[in-house]
Amino acid sequence: MYQAIVFLPLLGFLIVGLFGTSLGAKASEYITSGFLVIAAVLSWVAFFSVGFGHGEVFTVPVLHWIQSGGLDVSWALRIDTLTVVMLVVVNTVSALVHIYSIGYMHHDSNRPRFFAYLSLFTFAMLMLVTADNLVQMFFGWEGVGLASYLLIGFWYKKPSANAAAIKAFVVNRVGDFGFALGIFGLFVLFGSVNLGTIFANAATFIPAEGAPQDAAVLTFLGHALDKQAAMTVVCLLLFMGAMGKSAQVPLHTWLPDAMEGPTPVSALIHAATMVTAGVFMLARLSPLFELSHSALTVVTFIGAFTAFFAATVGLVQNDIKRVIAYSTCSQLGYMFVALGVGAYGAAIFHLFTHAFFKALLFLGSGSVIHAVSDEQDMRKMGGLRKLIPTTYWMMVIGTLALTGVGIPVTVIGTAGFFSKDAIIETAFAGHNSVAGLAFVALVIAAGFTSFYSWRLIFMTFHGEPRASHEVMHHVHESPPVMLVPLFILAAGALFAGIIFHGAFIGEGYAEFWKASLFTLADNHILHEIHELPLWVELSPFIAMLIGLAVAWQFYIRSPEMPRNLAAQHRGLYAFLLNKWYFDELYDFLFVRPAKRLGSFLWKTGDGTIIDGLGPDGISARVVDVTNRVVKLQTGYLYHYAFAMLIGVAALVTWMML
């Protein structure tokens, strides 16, 4: 069963990638989508049998891969609760995106290539989440990077799509460099890249408090590090990889630009799966991160800052997909805060619920874009509520889940109410030095999230139409093949929290997670959140209401207020609209110097010095000499006689001397 879950998407990619042109677009769509539906159903079977069963961690061998000296890497699938949760997320969302794309990409002439890329991405992500060793995880890690590049730049004739694909690829290479160094460091420290071996030795790796410290075990950047310092450095390098893949500041700049790809790509890669790879990786390696409180503190701070930063930028964005993209960036920050304070179950629970409502919002926005003739600027929408009512209610459900609507101190609420509020509460209960700051940042971000989410709904669906008469005349509801996936995702957005919160973060979490996360039975933070002050539990709910009220005031009651406020605070508005000028800063610090260096090495180093003094220079001198020698051959007899006389005179002079 597990081999089928992992390799059916690969089979679909190979069939359609190699023979898609011969098979035709329809057959390509049905083959890839059919395989993904089967994989998704099997994933749910695995989820209930492993997560709610009594089995321990086990591996499914595939084949021998690398054997070199002390390095023994076998290709095997590691199956535990964390794995099956990710299998459900990846395959369910991917299957629904495949089906949705049948309608959304109907007019595209390159559908076989698109569906092949989708299946390739899904296979790479499955390789990542089922990895039993770090080399296999890195293989899947790079595979999703490749598939992301191909899908973001799918419309390669658009310069903006090519630029976005290259940007995503380059920024991720920065993070992947750190991830690779982290893997090398773990091999040096533990002599293995197999997760089972590393976890078995991690518990006794750091000397007990009061015991004599060991000598240096790792040298990094010229510094000899003992075990504690080495573990901190390795964890920070691993986190650097997570920052790139999961779009955390300062490696976040690629995510909003990645919206240049087709909308189903945004839903699959940049909302539900690929960007959660960093969260998954830290949760998988939680036994290592628990050995370095410094690394966990950094994770908490970066997550809190990203959640706040992305929420502020989302307040003023006008592209419907970019608003949701910055929301994704912000919600990923929430997950890293939970990881940083040790609430790994809460982080994965939010990953799980976020996949449903964020994919719903992205596919819903795709339905809006489909209805308004590919327009993405919300300032050119409005008044769509009665024209596309099904899409409207699906977007409202996604917004309710994202903003965490529910009844506090009860078990009634949307998916985000359970998972996001749990993270805010764990931040308050956290024990590292920045947990309090993270709590404040997350509550503020919750208010901002509510504001920009309802702003999107009000600007898109309410008020007077701002599109042209021709566009409004052609507005139409999406076909059933696009709406059915929205219904399924909406069910997850509404009920996933109610159904699964007990297993993920409630009474049954120890039995559910078993040994797949760091000793949750000994981790008291999820117990502590049930004993928090009432005002802490109410704070995200109050922030949500404030955001909703302000959005209603700005975009329903007094639509001129946002314009006047922006005019009064031009500097702040420009600062947020230009995303805190991160792109301009990176352009000044890295891009321009790199271009100047490249230009210098090209024109001066290569052109002037290497070619000028080397091949080009030598050939030019030979040509000069031969041209001068050729001039001696005039064909006149008296020139030759004169040259002979000069030679005789020179010879006689030499003999006389």
Side-chain angles (χ1 to χ4, degrees):
M1 177 173 73
Y2 296 101
Q3 292 95 328
I5 291 173
V6 173
F7 290 107
L8 278 175
L10 175 64
L11 182 61
F13 162 70
L14 292 175
I15 293 174
V16 174
L18 294 174
F19 309 109
T21 304
S22 304
L23 292 170
K26 280 293 181 186
S28 299
E29 293 168 349
Y30 294 152
I31 289 171
T32 53
S33 302
F35 284 163
L36 258 298
V37 170
I38 295 171
V41 172
L42 294 176
S43 297
W44 280 100
V45 173
F47 173 74
F48 285 106
S49 63
V50 173
F52 297 94
H54 301 287
E56 296 297 325
V57 177
F58 64 95
T59 58
V60 179
V62 178
L63 50 83
H64 292 293
W65 193 8
I66 301 172
Q67 288 180 318
S68 177
L71 181 65
D72 184 1
V73 179
S74 294
W75 195 351
L77 311 179
R78 181 183 181 88
I79 306 300
D80 58 15
T81 305
L82 180 58
T83 301
V84 295
V85 168
M86 295 303 297
L87 291 180
V88 163
V89 169
V90 173
N91 282 326
T92 302
V93 174
S94 182
L96 295 175
V97 166
H98 273 74
I99 295 170
Y100 178 93
S101 299
I102 294 174
Y104 190 87
M105 302 294 289
H106 177 70
H107 299 293
D108 198 285
S109 59
N110 295 302
R111 280 176 285 165
R113 178 166 62 90
F114 180 77
F115 280 83
Y117 287 170
L118 288 182
S119 293
L120 172 64
F121 167 80
T122 306
F123 168 70
M125 190 69 192
L126 293 173
M127 288 308 307
L128 193 161
V129 302
T130 59
D132 188 45
N133 59 75
L134 293 170
V135 175
Q136 183 182 333
M137 186 182 291
F138 193 73
F139 169 77
W141 193 270
E142 295 302 305
V144 293
L146 168 64
S148 174
Y149 171 80
L150 295 173
L151 285 166
I152 295 169
F154 177 75
W155 288 321
Y156 56 85
K157 294 183 179 180
K158 288 174 58 181
S160 58
N162 280 324
I166 293 171
K167 186 175 183 179
F169 194 80
V170 170
V171 173
N172 272 275
R173 294 292 73 71
V174 176
D176 294 353
F177 178 66
F179 187 32
L181 290 180
I183 294 174
F184 299 155
L186 288 178
F187 182 71
V188 170
L189 297 180
F190 294 100
S192 175
V193 293
N194 293 309
L195 296 178
T197 303
I198 293 173
F199 295 159
N201 294 312
T204 57
F205 182 75
I206 302 296
E209 193 171 339
Q213 293 294 314
D214 292 316
V217 294
L218 183 68
T219 300
F220 183 72
L221 297 178
H223 297 280
L225 307 174
D226 61 17
K227 286 187 175 180
Q228 184 66 67
M231 185 54 63
T232 297
V233 168
V234 167
C235 287
L236 289 176
L237 289 171
L238 294 170
F239 178 53
M240 182 177 171
M243 290 166 66
K245 199 66 73 183
S246 294
Q248 297 297 285
V249 175
L251 300 180
H252 67 284
T253 54
W254 66 272
L255 181 61
D257 290 356
M259 298 303 107
E260 287 292 339
T263 301
V265 172
S266 305
L268 177 61
I269 299 184
H270 306 111
T273 48
M274 172 181 154
V275 292
T276 61
V279 178
F280 164 79
M281 186 261 283
L282 260 66
R284 173 64 83 202
L285 301 180
S286 55
L288 301 177
F289 279 83
E290 282 293 320
L291 301 178
S292 174
H293 295 299
S294 299
L296 288 176
T297 301
V298 172
V299 172
T300 307
F301 177 77
I302 293 295
F305 183 77
T306 303
F308 175 79
F309 153 76
T312 62
V313 177
L315 297 174
V316 297
Q317 296 301 305
N318 296 309
D319 185 305
I320 187 171
K321 287 171 64 176
R322 282 181 180 264
V323 173
I324 306 173
Y326 276 106
S327 172
T328 298
C329 193
S330 182
Q331 296 304 307
L332 290 166
Y334 276 81
M335 299 176 205
F336 278 105
V337 168
L339 293 169
V341 299
Y344 304 105
I348 300 302
F349 186 36
H350 195 47
L351 184 157
F352 179 78
T353 60
H354 177 263
F356 290 106
F357 58 75
K358 191 50 63 70
L360 174 61
L361 286 170
F362 264 117
L363 296 185
S365 70
S367 184
V368 172
I369 295 167
H370 180 78
V372 293
S373 307
D374 297 326
E375 180 59 64
Q376 295 183 200
D377 192 332
M378 296 186 297
R379 294 171 296 184
K380 299 178 181 178
M381 299 181 187
L384 299 177
R385 179 167 55 96
K386 295 181 180 179
L387 298 175
I388 46 175
T390 305
T391 297
Y392 168 70
W393 285 111
M394 293 300 100
M395 291 289 285
V396 167
I397 290 173
T399 300
L400 291 172
L402 172 60
T403 57
V405 173
I407 303 176
V409 203
T410 70
V411 291
I412 301 174
T414 57
F417 169 73
F418 290 95
S419 59
K420 188 173 75 171
D421 287 18
I423 291 178
I424 294 175
E425 292 167 6
T426 58
F428 183 85
H431 300 298
N432 69 42
S433 57
V434 297
L437 175 66
F439 169 75
V440 174
L442 295 189
V443 171
I444 296 173
F448 289 166
T449 300
S450 179
F451 174 81
Y452 65 65
S453 299
W454 289 110
R455 172 179 178 263
L456 183 152
I457 294 294
F458 296 150
M459 288 185 68
T460 304
F461 296 101
H462 292 260
E464 294 298 321
R466 295 181 296 277
S468 66
H469 176 74
E470 182 180 358
V471 169
M472 295 301 295
H473 179 70
H474 290 94
V475 171
H476 58 284
E477 190 62 271
S478 298
V481 73
M482 293 172 64
L483 294 179
V484 170
L486 298 185
F487 298 151
I488 298 173
L489 291 169
L494 288 174
F495 303 116
I498 296 175
I499 296 172
F500 295 111
H501 79 278
F504 277 80
I505 58 172
E507 294 285 332
Y509 70 83
E511 183 181 350
F512 177 74
W513 289 111
K514 305 178 185 68
S516 62
L517 294 180
F518 172 77
T519 57
L520 282 172
D522 298 325
N523 188 348
H524 301 296
I525 193 165
L526 291 179
H527 291 295
E528 294 177 14
I529 65 174
H530 298 296
E531 302 173 0
L532 295 176
L534 181 62
W535 69 268
V536 174
E537 297 183 20
L538 291 177
S539 58
F541 179 75
I542 294 171
M544 179 271 295
L545 289 181
I546 293 173
L548 170 59
V550 174
W552 177 270
Q553 176 68 27
F554 276 20
Y555 296 99
I556 298 297
R557 291 193 61 188
S558 304
E560 72 283 352
M561 284 186 67
R563 191 180 303 108
N564 297 336
L565 197 62
Q568 292 172 10
H569 304 279
R570 292 184 183 277
L572 177 61
Y573 179 74
F575 181 70
L576 297 179
L577 190 64
N578 288 283
K579 304 158 286 188
W580 290 32
Y581 293 104
F582 268 103
D583 284 315
E584 289 79 2
L585 179 63
Y586 290 174
D587 187 62
F588 175 76
L589 292 178
F590 304 115
V591 177
R592 292 182 190 176
K595 285 184 176 180
R596 285 195 293 267
L597 177 62
S599 179
F600 171 78
L601 293 176
W602 165 37
K603 294 185 177 180
T604 303
D606 191 30
T608 303
I609 298 176
I610 296 177
D611 286 344
L613 300 180
D616 290 349
I618 294 172
S619 63
R621 299 294 78 73
V622 169
V623 170
D624 288 344
V625 171
T626 53
N627 285 337
R628 294 175 185 275
V629 171
V630 164
K631 291 179 180 179
L632 296 176
Q633 303 295 326
T634 63
Y636 294 110
L637 182 60
Y638 59 86
H639 284 172
Y640 300 141
F642 181 69
M644 291 173 63
L645 289 175
I646 292 176
V648 170
L651 181 62
V652 171
T653 303
W654 179 77
M655 292 179 63
M656 291 175 62
L657 294 174

